[in-house]
Amino acid sequence: MPKPREKKDNHLLYADAVASRGKSGVWFGEREDFKSKQVSVMDAVKEQVEWVPVENAVMAISLDPPGIVLMAPNPSLPGIIVLADGATSENTEYLKKHYTEIVQGVLKDADIAEEE
């Protein structure tokens, strides 16, 4: 049975990548305001957590299914780490599998042995 859509009244924290298309005119009109708020929020978050810029990594953004994936070299072992968040466990597993397969394909094409 389908679940009702979750009410999202705080788009600074979470926006549905698919459902926001119809609101793009509103977001475009308020872009400067919400972008400055996003910068303020991220600056405040940086003050409270250990963080690094996304350098020497690849962050992929998926709209179908909606989610993000970060792929980066493992700092302590050979190989690539694939981290995924698709908002639901099904989406997360799909994204993790899909992008892991991409990394494995690149390893194979480059004739680099995959570490077990």
Side-chain angles (χ1 to χ4, degrees), residues 6-14:
E6 175 183 336
K7 183 177 184 217
K8 298 177 206 119
D9 55 3
N10 186 347
H11 286 276
L12 276 175
L13 187 59
Y14 179 81

Side-chain angles (χ1 to χ4, degrees), residues 12 27-39:
L12 276 175
W27 298 139
F28 188 78
E30 298 174 358
R31 180 173 53 183
E32 291 305 315
D33 183 50
F34 79 74
K35 285 205 177 276
S36 69
K37 288 178 183 173
Q38 288 172 331
V39 169

